[in-house]
Amino acid sequence: MTGNKKDIKKVALAYSGGLDTSIIIPWLKENYPGAQVIGVCVNVGQKDDWEAVRKKARASGAAKIYIIDARQEFARDFLWPMLRAGAVYEGKYLLGTSIARPLQAKYQVDIAIKEGCDALAHGCTGKGNDQVRFELTYKALAPGLRVIAPWREWNISSREEAIEYARSHNIPLGNISRKNIYSRDWNIWHMSHEGGELEDPWNRPLEAMFQLSRSPKDAPDRETEIIVGFEEGLPVSLNGKKIPPWKMVEELNRLGGENGIGRADIVETRVVGMKSRGVYETPAGTILFAALKELEMITIDSETLALKNALAQEYARAVYSGKWFTLARESMDAYMKSACAYTDGEVRLALYKGNIIPAGRRSKYSLYSGDLASFGASSYDHRDATGFINLYGLATGVQARVHGLAAKPHKSRERMNRKAEKGGSKKA
């Protein structure tokens, strides 16, 4: 951060109640004398004791603490568009932490402006992705506010040192200890686990680490069948009943977790370039992505779906890199909305021991025609295929004639034939 520290009179801190953000409060007061710290905690589904969080913030030295319930907004305005886009980072990560940060940072900016703050602060490390996500949101929504990132300034270099700092400043640690060393992030979409034995990619995660899901081997020995309803590519109902977005996520987390669904062990590429290992539990997200994919297969034509799938990768990179509040992401959303305009219908799934088994899909806009696809008598005239293939293969045939392949074998095939002949003569 540049500028005079004496100019900082009030700081809005993205506060979680965890170890890092708790020790930041006294650190800010020590390093920016006279500055007030306003904690901003956004509830996106983490099941915390909010009164305990409030008390911890005050005990740590915060002048004020805001706790904002944003679960419905999170599901409706962030999770649902990301789901509709089919955004999955590097083919595995369902972006649970990534998608929450822009919303949390947005509320932090709102409170900072309301309180007349001079700066914004966060507890993200200089190695991680979250520093980028928070600060790109700051730049998009409040470019004039200064940013304080303690992990890029202080001399604390490990979680163990952070624990010692907390103890020396009489900050309540709760269940944080040297033995409980995992770094976790939790919201209604997922729970992530990092640190401890996971830092060695060869180590298998310990079963005791998982919080949201059973091991598939301990899941029920029977299928759980569900029906998910969609309108324009967005989930609207579960088993025939309309349900608010965040409530649907909670219920699918319960059902998926009971059936051992949603675990992912990932070595991903962070924004800063390094590889990082994390284990994620995303039961509801895993189910919803599977359901939407099945419905898209019968409601979206091939070319539109191919472009949608290609853009999904760019969308995932935008979310992962903190570029939510950008024209590029908004433009991609416009395409996703258009592409899914007719993605209405229901998908039936069977959940069984970690598996999601498609059991049926239906839509009034289905492009599937039983008459055309049937192997029996239908309105399809097989003789039409002759002209189609002649035209569809026209360029292939022209190229073959121009290259002379119709008269002589390709060089690589010719060499293979010679080798085969030599081999045959030796055996003879």
Side-chain angles (χ1 to χ4, degrees):
M1 192 202 80
T2 59
N4 194 329
K5 288 187 176 183
K6 293 181 181 179
D7 295 337
I8 304 299
K9 303 299 182 185
K10 193 179 287 189
V11 182
L13 168 67
Y15 185 74
S16 68
L19 175 62
D20 294 346
T21 56
S22 293
I23 66 174
I24 283 173
I25 295 175
W27 184 88
L28 285 171
K29 296 176 74 174
E30 289 174 358
N31 289 270
Y32 297 83
Q36 290 185 327
V37 180
I38 311 296
V40 182
C41 186
V42 182
N43 176 7
V44 286
Q46 60 274 45
K47 292 185 173 12
D48 289 331
D49 181 339
W50 297 112
E51 188 55 36
V53 170
R54 188 183 303 278
K55 289 179 179 178
K56 188 174 182 180
R58 298 307 296 267
S60 300
K64 283 185 182 180
I65 176 69
Y66 286 84
I67 297 178
I68 300 155
D69 187 347
R71 289 173 293 178
Q72 178 68 353
E73 182 181 356
F74 180 47
R76 182 192 64 224
D77 299 339
F78 289 75
L79 293 180
W80 267 203
M82 182 184 72
L83 167 68
R84 179 179 60 194
V88 180
Y89 182 68
E90 294 189 334
K92 292 185 72 175
Y93 176 38
L94 302 188
L95 298 164
T97 298
S98 314
I99 190 63
R101 298 312 188 214
L103 176 60
Q104 292 170 316
K106 178 181 83 72
Y107 273 109
Q108 184 189 1
V109 168
D110 290 345
I111 297 301
I113 293 171
K114 174 184 175 181
E115 288 284 343
C117 293
D118 310 295
L120 299 155
H122 60 74
C124 311
T125 72
K127 290 183 177 180
N129 300 307
D130 281 342
Q131 59 180 339
V132 180
R133 296 162 185 158
F134 273 98
E135 293 187 36
L136 287 190
T137 301
Y138 300 161
K139 287 181 182 296
L141 305 181
L145 289 178
R146 290 164 65 177
V147 178
I148 304 172
W151 271 101
R152 303 203 296 256
E153 296 184 36
W154 63 21
N155 58 6
I156 297 172
S157 59
S158 68
R159 194 165 175 80
E160 290 78 6
E161 289 180 7
I163 290 172
E164 291 306 315
Y165 183 93
R167 285 175 176 158
S168 68
H169 288 74
N170 299 313
I171 295 173
L173 286 172
N175 64 348
I176 298 170
S177 67
R178 292 181 184 274
K179 292 183 180 179
N180 184 19
I181 206 70
Y182 293 116
S183 175
R184 288 189 169 102
D185 180 74
W186 192 7
N187 58 50
I188 58 174
W189 194 241
H190 88 151
M191 178 179 281
S192 66
H193 312 268
E194 293 180 316
E197 78 279 351
L198 298 179
E199 292 184 353
D200 183 347
W202 184 252
N203 290 336
R204 182 172 180 173
L206 302 175
E207 188 59 36
M209 179 195 72
F210 293 97
Q211 305 288 309
L212 301 184
S213 60
R214 293 181 183 178
S215 169
K217 67 180 181 181
D218 297 325
D221 291 323
R222 52 173 172 72
E223 293 182 348
T224 299
E225 192 171 277
I226 62 170
I227 298 175
V228 182
F230 292 85
E231 290 180 5
E232 298 184 8
L234 302 176
V236 294
S237 65
L238 182 60
N239 297 327
K241 296 181 180 179
K242 297 280 186 177
I243 184 170
W246 73 274
K247 286 288 188 183
M248 182 184 294
V249 174
E250 284 199 335
E251 179 61 11
L252 287 175
N253 273 334
R254 183 185 69 81
L255 293 170
E258 288 176 355
N259 286 279
I261 288 167
R263 295 182 176 185
D265 187 340
I266 303 171
V267 177
E268 69 201 54
T269 308
R270 288 182 178 176
V271 178
V272 295
M274 71 179 67
K275 293 287 186 178
S276 173
R277 198 262 188 104
V279 175
Y280 301 91
E281 297 177 85
T282 320
T286 305
I287 292 168
L288 289 170
F289 269 100
L292 180 58
K293 188 174 289 292
E294 292 300 320
L295 189 59
E296 287 178 341
M297 294 301 292
I298 65 169
T299 59
I300 303 180
D301 66 272
S302 175
E303 291 182 352
T304 303
L305 187 57
L307 182 54
K308 181 179 184 294
N309 290 337
L311 279 177
Q313 297 180 52
E314 296 303 321
Y315 197 108
R317 277 192 282 270
V319 173
Y320 189 82
S321 303
K323 296 183 178 180
W324 183 263
F325 293 104
T326 62
L327 181 59
R329 195 277 307 170
E330 293 168 359
S331 299
M332 286 188 284
D333 254 332
Y335 177 80
M336 299 303 177
K337 183 176 181 180
S338 177
C340 291
Y342 297 98
T343 306
D344 296 6
E346 292 183 315
V347 177
R348 186 168 64 237
L349 301 171
L351 313 180
Y352 180 68
K353 288 189 174 294
N355 295 290
I356 303 174
I357 305 165
R361 64 291 266 168
R362 63 187 177 191
S363 170
K364 62 183 177 181
Y365 298 117
S366 176
L367 302 177
Y368 174 84
S369 170
D371 175 63
L372 289 175
S374 173
F375 285 101
S378 73
S379 60
Y380 183 85
D381 189 338
H382 292 262
R383 291 171 295 184
D384 292 341
T386 301
F388 166 74
I389 294 171
N390 286 336
L391 292 176
Y392 191 67
L394 180 63
T396 303
V398 169
Q399 178 178 280
R401 286 192 296 273
V402 169
H403 292 177
L405 297 184
K408 64 179 182 180
H410 191 274
K411 289 182 179 179
S412 61
R413 294 202 298 269
E414 193 174 346
R415 283 194 295 268
M416 290 175 64
N417 291 337
R418 287 177 188 160
K419 288 182 179 179
E421 289 174 2
K422 289 180 179 179
S425 62
K426 287 179 181 178
K427 288 181 181 179

